[in-house]
Amino acid sequence: MQALEGIRVLDLATLFAGPMAAMLLGDFGADVVKVEHPSKPDPSRGHGPGGLWWKVLGRNKRTMTLDLSMPEGQDVLLALVRDADVVIENFRPGTLERWNLSYDRLRAANPRVVLARVTGFGQFGPYAARPGFGTLAEAMSGFAAMTGEPDGPPTLPPFGLADGICALATAYAVMAALRARDSTGAGQVVDLSIVEPILTVLGAQPTIYDRLGIVPARTGNRSVNNAPRNTYRCADGTWVAVSTSAQNIAERVMRLVGRPEYIAEPWFATGAGRVEHADELDAAVAAWIGARTRAEVLSAFEEAQAAIAPIYDVRDVLADPQLKALDAVTTVEDPDLGPLRMQNVMFRLSDTPGRISWPGRPHSADTTAILTELGFSPSDVDKLRERGVV
């Protein structure tokens, strides 16, 4: 048995937060039905090199097509909703209502259904109607303003960071709504903007500004809370990252790099004090690491029980023995491509583990099967296809 076995999710969303949330639910056994437009597939099918994004984002999902702007398509969706637990959508606010698919109508078909609405800025407010993407959330949350070198421009991540955080938040919100349904018997609406989850994980910035008037500045790879904390280049051209969040770790690092006299300085006793002397601490660590290969550095830090990690690219990730032991990147059989490596499910449950049963399937691969489950006859399906509904 899987943890979410028996839960059916209708994934109406596209790029990226909503579909990723549905993927996370599918990883633990939810029956996820991906609903795409008959002639306009989810853009993730063509995203990135070779369209391989879809193989990951579409994993564990059955795929069907449906034109929700057509009355017949709306009727089919309502038939799907009657047996569904969750609907995930990321259309602009008002779109479902324009298609006569408001939550009131969904709830009339199934009072227990949870509707998760993922948008750039939420369902109300002055920006609600704006198109929203993760990049905009990274900019408006405060993330970009504090990311980058002190004398450089604000920096955006080279991947969908805000979308990924929002996907985790959406999956969590859906599970909270389902748990509430266990008590009340009724579904509800989840209203989630992409900007709010990344704002949450940025920490206490609003509180600090409210009480102390401090605006975070860009510090590059340094921390405003402790030092030394940075990336350092080894003699062989590779890089490592060092963190000294704990006082005893900072002391071990200084002894290791041959500068134990710093430990006796009054300023060294606190993270804030060390930050004020980050230049000299960084110089000491950088000089020691720069004279050694990465293997030598990692071995010495491990022996000293100091915190360090190699900076990996994807090749290193795939070769790392710890990540191999965790099966963090697993192999899935794809009918088109053969063995396909991708990130495994995100965590391990001892009794009801998740799994990847299949990678993303072709556009409309399961339309006939799903409609047949709803009671449509072969001739009914043919008629829907002829009219462009599916």
Side-chain angles (χ1 to χ4, degrees):
M1 180 180 174
Q2 291 185 274
L4 300 181
E5 199 169 301
I7 297 294
R8 173 168 285 189
V9 178
L10 304 182
D11 176 10
L12 313 185
T14 58
L15 291 176
F16 277 106
M20 188 177 290
M23 180 201 83
L24 295 171
L25 298 171
D27 281 351
F28 285 87
D31 174 19
V32 180
V33 175
K34 175 70 177 180
V35 180
E36 300 174 83
H37 191 277
S39 61
K40 300 172 186 174
D42 188 317
S44 66
R45 290 184 179 275
H47 190 80
L52 292 173
W53 261 88
W54 169 251
K55 291 295 184 181
V56 177
L57 198 61
R59 71 193 195 189
N60 292 330
K61 299 179 184 181
R62 297 192 290 162
T63 65
M64 70 172 293
T65 55
L66 202 54
D67 189 339
L68 299 179
S69 68
M70 300 177 66
E72 290 167 289
Q74 296 157 16
D75 290 340
V76 174
L77 183 71
L78 291 173
L80 286 164
V81 167
R82 290 187 187 101
D83 292 325
D85 298 278
V86 181
V87 177
I88 300 176
E89 64 98 357
N90 69 339
F91 304 110
R92 289 199 206 182
T95 301
L96 281 187
E97 288 75 9
R98 190 171 69 250
W99 291 338
N100 198 24
L101 291 170
S102 68
Y103 184 60
D104 286 342
R105 195 172 184 209
L106 300 183
R107 186 165 50 188
N110 179 0
R112 293 173 56 82
V113 74
V114 170
L115 175 62
R117 315 194 76 170
V118 183
T119 56
F121 303 104
Q123 293 295 311
F124 56 90
Y127 302 161
R130 292 183 182 180
F133 298 98
T135 297
L136 309 187
E138 289 146 11
M140 293 181 65
S141 63
F143 171 83
M146 65 179 295
T147 306
E149 293 300 322
D151 56 352
T155 302
L156 296 167
F159 65 99
L161 176 63
D163 283 290
I165 296 171
C166 185
L168 290 164
T170 301
Y172 165 58
V174 164
M175 297 309 301
L178 290 175
R179 177 63 184 89
R181 190 186 69 175
D182 291 343
S183 300
T184 66
Q188 59 183 299
V189 176
V190 173
D191 175 9
L192 202 78
S193 73
I194 299 176
V195 71
E196 289 172 287
I198 189 171
L199 175 61
T200 297
V201 302
L202 289 178
Q205 288 185 24
T207 308
I208 292 169
Y209 176 74
D210 177 62
R211 303 306 298 175
L212 303 175
I214 297 173
V215 177
R218 289 189 288 284
T219 60
N221 291 319
R222 287 181 173 177
S223 168
V224 297
N225 299 310
N226 62 79
R229 189 265 199 179
N230 215 323
T231 60
Y232 305 92
R233 188 169 185 169
C234 304
D236 54 7
T238 58
W239 293 80
V240 294
V242 172
S243 175
T244 57
S245 296
Q247 179 68 24
N248 62 340
I249 299 296
E251 293 174 4
R252 291 172 190 170
V253 170
M254 286 300 105
R255 291 191 187 98
L256 176 63
V257 303
R259 302 306 298 267
E261 68 273 15
Y262 285 143
I263 300 172
E265 296 288 346
W267 50 261
F268 195 88
T270 66
R274 296 198 305 275
V275 167
E276 293 179 359
H277 294 263
D279 285 345
E280 53 198 292
L281 295 175
D282 260 349
V285 176
W288 188 90
I289 289 176
R292 293 161 176 81
T293 66
R294 185 164 75 177
E296 293 169 335
V297 171
L298 294 175
S299 177
F301 266 72
E302 184 174 351
E303 185 176 346
Q305 298 185 45
I308 193 171
I311 293 180
Y312 281 169
D313 63 24
V314 67
R315 296 166 295 185
D316 301 313
V317 168
L318 294 177
D320 183 83
Q322 176 62 31
L323 296 176
K324 280 184 176 181
L326 295 174
D327 198 26
V329 177
T330 195
T331 301
V332 184
E333 248 343 282
D334 183 82
D336 302 316
L337 303 175
L340 193 62
R341 299 174 85 178
M342 65 179 65
Q343 298 97 321
N344 207 343
V345 299
M346 197 174 293
F347 51 87
R348 287 160 290 282
L349 297 180
S350 61
D351 296 333
T352 55
R355 64 171 179 265
I356 304 170
S357 298
W358 61 81
R361 289 170 56 73
H363 185 235
S364 194
D366 304 291
T367 298
T368 298
I370 293 168
L371 291 177
T372 300
E373 290 173 7
L374 293 175
F376 287 81
S377 68
S379 62
D380 293 333
V381 176
D382 290 340
K383 290 175 183 176
L384 290 172
R385 281 207 172 91
E386 289 169 8
R387 290 194 286 271
V389 178
V390 298

